[in-house]
């Protein structure tokens, strides 16, 4: 357990040291959403209909930004090989790193979603499913993205491959996430898709760290 | 074949298009391994 | 009972067999110097012994699995954004050692106090190598596997390395190392040519 | 149940010879069945009372769609075997299956679109099956792309195995989420495309086409697996002998 606390503390210290690294994704999220509004007529009523899609794709792109460096620096400076030698449970280490990544890049997006939703013309009652959906969805982005980052950690051109590999795995998350807001907009029950999203989240949290650990070990051989 | 047959009830483009592309893909799956095999054998012989 | 033993190891890179049916015994108090041309497979052998790489055949065993081993590769295992102290505190957390020994370890490798607090990216190669060597002192482990540990060390560093190694051997530890330089004076090593 | 045949088959040289003997038969049988299937489908089968002759696209679309999914399952299973037992043969089969599966997924998509135009009036309708097929194509491209990015074939195969397994878990989730997403879409398609009532003489060409496609996929996978084995075992004696014996003339053995 102390080992996991050590990893977590290090991630936070690293973030504190290199502030730009984790301030960039939320900033990017805001910019993407704002640029979308420039794409349509000023206060276009249509924008509210597209708000869920815009916000969710923005969250996905913001998460992808910081995923590439998740394991690359550790691999390059030798920390990864020391972790492998130290026999700490790698899957727990991966879980903690995923959690740290979510805290630093996923959580700010969840907090920013409500104001941005209003900016896009979302009606206040629809903000609930939006924020709850993102709260359940962004950890999936971090862990599924983390798994793919572990798969491509050793590759020189891995960076370009990461989004392509993440996309198909993320489709259900985006469908249920954006879908719950759209269901709310159509007066349907927004709860059902959120339950599916929660199911995907539990599957992701339990299955992927173990597979990501295997991927990290494999990337080293 | 009667000219009527080729028109496929007005859907000639779609039916013959589908079968044409399908033939292409089946052929590719038959030929591509052979070409790759020849390329591999050449690299193996160069290594000799 | 050898501290580390390997039987019929076969190590492959891609589909090329680097080593075939390789046996090794590392006894307590022994310093083994692995020599061989570049690309012969020295690093791969060390990585396999350290458990980082799975051998194609054969297996290696540690006398005391619980104690584990120290591995020092070409890469120092230091995050360049953090200071030497932060890095070592992290490794104490991972290995379950008490952080109290950090200053003593850094003093042991003669890293100036000011340098201990600066981010590692601003340290010289030799200072980074010394900080990496300090990690070995944090927690006593019988077997040391060192890949080119002398890289970047100046004369003082070499003497320091000799002293640390002799102290470790005196306490019944064992060291298996590779180096293209000749070992510093007092060290007497059994040579093993690959 | 002695496992010797499994281990014997597992050794690359014997699998290579086994594939060399089986592949031509599969290829020949496949082509014959395909010829019958397409001929019967295009000429013998009566036009559908609703869709007239456009329904004949079923004879290429359905086999491709069926094969696209089963090859993904085969690829993921081969990947799992490669991961657990570190069998070179399983890695070769997995890497061999990816491009074949991807090509038939693409075929299923294109024929689906060509079928959609006359039936639904638009090339691309976000129909649940077509969308799931599209995501499946992305999964295939991901595996092929990942394998191409690795220099070391064995590490690459294991990474692809992991991705294929996660992808396999993802396929049913995608199918379900796309179904749900489609149901949420109020105005559903103009003509909900149901399974046409197939009379016997319409069905035979379909079964023939299906079997033909499986045989031809088997042929392509065995041939590609041979290629992968040649690459992975290029430093072994049996491959050197084979290469010199063939003298690079690529006479198919």
């Amino acid at each position: 357990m102390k080992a996991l606390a050590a990893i977590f503390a290090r991630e936070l210290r690293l973030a504190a040291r290199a502030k730009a690294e984790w301030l960039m994704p939320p900033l990017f999220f805001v910019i993407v959403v704002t640029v979308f509004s420039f794409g349509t007529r000023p206060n276009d009523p249509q924008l509210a209909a597209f708000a869920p899609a815009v916000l969710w794709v923005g969250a996905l792109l913001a998460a992808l930004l910081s995923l590439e460096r998740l394991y690359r620096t550790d691999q390059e400076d030798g920390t990864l090989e020391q972790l492998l030698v130290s026999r700490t449970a790698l899957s727990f280490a991966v879980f903690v790193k995923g959690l740290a990544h979510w805290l630093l890049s996923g959580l700010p997006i969840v907090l920013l979603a409500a104001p941005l939703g209003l900016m896009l013309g979302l009606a206040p009652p629809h903000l609930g499913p939006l924020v709850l959906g993102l709260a359940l969805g962004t950890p999936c982005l971090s862990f599924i993205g983390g798994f793919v980052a572990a798969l491509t950690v050793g590759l020189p051109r891995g960076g370009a491959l990461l989004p392509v590999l993440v996309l198909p795995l993320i489709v259900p998350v985006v469908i249920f996430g954006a879908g719950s807001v759209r269901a709310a907009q159509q007066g349907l029950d927004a709860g059902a898709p959120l339950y599916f999203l929660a199911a995907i989240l539990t599957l992701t949290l339990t299955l992927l760290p173990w597979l990501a650990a295997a991927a990290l070990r494999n990337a080293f051989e | 074949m009667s000219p009527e047959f080729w028109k496929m009830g007005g859907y000639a483009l779609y039916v013959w298009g589908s079968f044409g592309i399908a033939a292409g893909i089946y052929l590719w799956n038959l030929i591509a391994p052979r070409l790759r095999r020849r390329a591999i054998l050449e690299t193996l012989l160069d290594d000799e | 009972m050898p501290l580390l033993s390997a039987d019929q190891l076969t190590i492959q890179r891609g589909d090329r067999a680097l080593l075939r049916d390789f046996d090794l015994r590392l006894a307590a108090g022994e310093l083994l110097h692995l020599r061989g041309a570049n690309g012969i497979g020295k690093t791969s052998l060390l990585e396999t012994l350290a458990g980082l790489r799975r051998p194609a055949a054969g297996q290696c065993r540690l006398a005391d699995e619980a104690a584990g081993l120290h591995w020092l590769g070409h890469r120092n295992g230091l995050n360049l954004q953090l200071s030497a102290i932060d890095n070592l505190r992290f490794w104490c957390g991972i290995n379950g050692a008490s952080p109290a020994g950090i200053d003593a370890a850094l003093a042991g490798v003669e890293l100036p106090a000011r340098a201990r607090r600066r981010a590692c990216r601003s340290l010289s190669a030799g200072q980074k190598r010394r900080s990496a060597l300090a990690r070995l002192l944090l927690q006593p482990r019988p077997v040391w596997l060192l890949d080119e540990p002398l890289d970047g060390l100046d004369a003082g560093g070499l003497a320091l390395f000799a002293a640390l190694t002799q102290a470790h051997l005196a306490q019944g530890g064992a060291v298996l190392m590779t180096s293209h330089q000749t070992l510093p004076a007092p060290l007497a090593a059994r040579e093993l040519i690959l | 149940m002695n496992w010797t045949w499994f281990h014997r088959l597992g050794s690359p040289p014997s699998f290579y010879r086994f594939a060399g003997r089986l592949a031509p038969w599969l290829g020949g049988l496949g082509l014959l069945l395909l010829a019958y299937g397409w001929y019967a489908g295009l000429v013998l089968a009566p036009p559908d009372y609703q869709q007239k002759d456009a329904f004949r696209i079923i004879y290429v679309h359905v086999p491709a769609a069926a094969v696209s999914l089963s090859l993904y399952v085969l690829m993921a299973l081969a990947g799992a075997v490669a991961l657990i037992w570190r069998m070179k043969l399983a890695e070769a089969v997995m890497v061999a299956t990816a491009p074949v599966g991807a090509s038939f997924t693409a075929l299923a998509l294109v024929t689906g679109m060509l079928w959609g135009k006359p039936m639904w009036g638009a090339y691309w309708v976000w129909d649940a099956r077509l969308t799931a097929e599209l995501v499946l194509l992305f999964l295939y491209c991901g595996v092929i792309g990942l394998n191409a990015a690795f220099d070391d074939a064995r590490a690459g195969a294991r990474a692809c195995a992991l991705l294929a397994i996660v992808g396999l878990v993802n396929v049913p989730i995608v199918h379900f989420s796309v179904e749900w997403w489609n149901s949420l879409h109020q105005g559903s398609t103009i003509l909900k495309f149901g399974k046409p009532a197939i009379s016997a003489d319409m069905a035979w060409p379909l079964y023939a086409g299906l079997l033909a496609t499986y045989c031809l996929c088997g042929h392509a996978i065995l041939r590609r697996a041979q290629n992968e084995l040649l690459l992975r075992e290029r430093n072994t004696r049996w491959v050197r002998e084979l290469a010199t014996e063939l003298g690079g003339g690529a006479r198919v053995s």
Side-chain angles (χ1 to χ4, degrees):
Chain A
M1 245 332 271
K2 244 167 72 63
L4 302 185
I7 295 176
F8 198 73
R10 172 172 175 267
E11 290 298 317
L12 296 185
R13 194 172 302 126
L14 262 176
R17 212 39 74 74
K19 287 193 176 49
E21 210 159 309
W22 59 275
L23 275 179
M24 221 39 83
L27 196 59
F28 175 85
F29 179 55
V30 173
I31 292 170
V32 164
V33 172
T34 332
V35 166
F36 243 90
S37 327
F38 296 142
T40 61
R41 286 179 287 102
N43 28 58
D44 175 348
Q46 284 292 342
L47 203 51
F50 280 95
V54 168
L55 290 162
W56 265 91
V57 171
L60 171 62
L61 295 178
L64 285 180
L65 260 183
S66 50
L67 275 175
E68 219 260 310
R69 282 186 313 285
L70 194 59
Y71 294 111
R72 188 167 293 281
T73 40
D74 290 344
Q75 198 247 347
E76 272 156 10
D77 65 30
T79 311
L80 182 60
E81 58 193 61
Q82 290 299 336
L83 265 179
L84 291 174
V85 169
S86 72
R87 290 203 190 83
T88 43
L90 200 54
S91 47
F92 286 105
V94 165
F95 185 88
V96 166
K97 269 192 89 75
L99 198 62
H101 177 266
W102 177 70
L103 262 179
L104 294 172
S105 77
L107 196 54
I109 285 170
V110 173
L111 301 178
L112 283 169
L116 286 176
L118 289 175
M119 186 179 94
L120 292 178
L122 266 183
H126 302 152
L127 292 181
L130 173 73
V131 173
L132 198 53
L134 278 171
L136 291 169
T138 41
C140 295
L141 299 183
S142 291
F143 277 81
I144 293 175
F147 166 70
V148 174
L151 270 181
T152 57
V153 68
L155 303 179
R157 303 170 301 283
L161 203 57
L162 189 112
V164 171
L165 298 185
V166 168
L167 173 71
L169 302 176
I170 284 296
V171 161
V173 172
V174 176
I175 284 182
F176 286 128
S180 72
V181 184
R182 253 182 327 100
Q185 285 174 330
Q186 290 164 8
L188 297 169
D189 161 30
L194 292 178
Y195 285 118
F196 291 132
L197 204 49
I200 294 177
L201 177 59
T202 39
L203 186 67
T204 305
L205 292 181
T206 47
L207 185 65
L208 284 186
W210 174 65
L211 286 169
L216 283 176
R217 224 171 251 115
N218 176 49
F220 191 80
E221 270 174 29
Chain B
M1 279 301 168
S2 69
E4 200 47 45
F5 165 77
W6 293 108
K7 281 214 291 297
M8 278 292 155
Y11 296 110
L13 170 66
Y14 308 112
V15 175
W16 294 116
S18 304
F19 276 82
I21 293 168
I25 287 191
Y26 280 96
L27 268 179
W28 177 77
N29 274 305
L30 287 175
I31 292 168
R34 265 175 233 280
L35 298 178
R36 179 124 190 279
R37 176 192 169 79
R38 192 168 300 143
I40 291 173
L41 284 176
E42 264 144 33
T43 52
L44 289 186
L45 285 172
D46 297 346
D47 293 352
E48 284 305 303
Chain C
M1 232 301 260
L3 286 181
L4 170 69
S5 53
D7 319 309
Q8 283 105 31
L9 271 188
T10 305
I11 297 173
Q12 278 180 331
R13 180 170 308 154
D15 51 345
R16 224 160 33 82
L18 297 172
L19 275 177
R20 210 177 280 286
D21 297 338
F22 175 81
D23 293 323
L24 177 91
R25 294 289 175 273
L26 190 62
E30 186 183 17
L31 168 61
L32 190 56
H33 182 192
L34 208 57
R35 300 176 70 86
N38 291 338
I40 196 86
K42 298 195 295 291
T43 303
S44 301
L45 170 61
L46 277 184
E47 284 171 351
T48 308
L49 295 172
L52 291 169
R53 189 184 288 273
R54 179 189 288 262
Q59 9 80 6
C60 27
R61 275 187 324 283
L62 276 172
D64 177 356
E65 286 291 341
L69 53 86
H70 272 309
W71 154 257
L72 178 61
H74 293 288
R75 298 185 279 239
N76 290 318
L78 300 169
N79 184 298
L80 302 180
Q81 307 286 354
L82 299 175
S83 69
I85 288 183
D86 289 336
N87 271 303
L88 291 182
R89 183 174 298 129
F90 168 65
W91 289 116
C92 282
I94 290 287
N95 300 330
S98 78
I102 291 180
D103 273 327
L106 287 172
V109 292
E110 293 158 9
L111 191 67
R114 231 179 344 79
R116 297 175 195 172
R117 303 219 172 288
R118 287 210 313 270
C120 284
R121 67 174 177 281
S122 61
L123 296 181
S124 73
Q127 285 173 324
K128 282 187 217 159
R129 208 56 174 165
R130 287 169 186 247
S131 314
L133 285 172
R135 188 177 59 249
L136 305 184
L137 306 177
L138 279 179
Q139 199 189 27
R141 287 188 179 168
V143 175
W144 287 5
L145 298 177
L146 312 174
D147 195 2
E148 303 289 349
L150 307 181
D151 268 2
L153 289 181
D154 53 18
L158 292 177
L160 178 81
F161 175 80
L164 293 180
T165 313
Q166 273 194 312
H168 177 65
L169 295 176
Q171 288 152 11
V175 173
L176 170 61
M177 62 178 280
T178 64
S179 177
H180 50 272
Q181 306 165 2
T182 55
L183 301 189
L187 288 182
R190 177 161 72 96
E191 302 274 330
L192 178 63
I193 314 290
L194 272 195
Chain D
M1 163 68 172
N2 61 36
W3 283 87
T4 49
W5 66 270
F6 181 72
H7 287 296
R8 199 173 45 71
L9 188 65
S11 83
S14 54
F15 173 81
Y16 186 91
R17 274 190 299 280
F18 163 77
R21 277 200 305 276
L22 181 60
W25 287 98
L26 275 179
L29 179 63
L31 285 176
L32 275 176
L33 279 169
L34 196 67
Y36 161 72
W38 282 12
Y39 175 74
L42 283 168
V43 178
L44 303 182
D48 178 71
Y49 67 94
Q50 231 178 1
Q51 305 165 28
K52 298 195 213 47
D53 289 301
F55 100 100
R56 296 181 195 285
I57 298 177
I58 190 177
Y59 293 119
V60 280
H61 178 70
V62 169
V67 149
S68 67
L69 195 56
S70 27
L71 284 192
Y72 195 92
V73 173
L74 168 68
M75 183 172 73
L77 291 182
V81 168
L83 270 179
I84 298 165
W85 287 291
R86 287 185 177 275
M87 262 169 77
K88 256 184 198 172
L89 171 60
E91 289 171 17
V93 167
M94 179 189 69
V95 171
T97 310
V100 180
S103 65
F104 280 99
T105 312
L107 178 60
L109 265 175
V110 169
T111 49
M113 287 161 65
L114 283 174
W115 198 358
K117 182 73 172 113
M119 289 308 110
W120 301 328
Y123 279 113
W124 183 259
V125 169
W126 287 97
D127 166 71
R129 280 185 301 276
L130 272 185
T131 317
E133 200 73 39
L134 183 61
V135 174
L136 188 63
L137 183 61
F138 292 152
L139 286 172
Y140 270 115
C141 295
V143 171
I144 296 172
L146 187 62
N147 191 42
F150 274 84
D151 309 331
D152 169 12
R154 298 223 60 180
R158 271 196 293 279
C160 289
L162 285 167
L163 183 62
I165 289 168
V166 170
L168 185 64
V169 172
N170 199 44
V171 162
I173 300 177
V174 165
H175 272 270
F176 181 78
S177 60
V178 168
E179 286 291 336
W180 175 86
W181 171 69
N182 231 292
S183 67
L184 187 65
H185 175 46
Q186 289 309 340
S188 72
T189 49
I190 305 143
L191 167 68
K192 192 73 190 91
F193 177 72
K195 275 266 173 303
I198 290 194
S199 65
D201 47 12
M202 276 185 185
W204 281 115
L206 187 57
Y207 298 137
L210 206 56
L211 195 56
T213 310
Y214 275 109
C215 289
L216 290 170
C217 281
H219 169 86
I221 290 172
L222 287 177
R223 283 291 180 227
R224 283 178 182 272
Q226 283 184 313
N227 292 345
E228 289 301 320
L229 283 179
L230 283 181
L231 271 175
R232 284 156 202 274
E233 302 260 299
R234 61 170 163 267
N235 292 319
T236 56
R237 198 176 32 74
W238 71 275
V239 168
R240 269 202 296 280
E241 278 161 15
L242 197 73
T244 43
E245 168 207 317
L246 288 177
R251 182 176 49 74
V252 179
S253 75

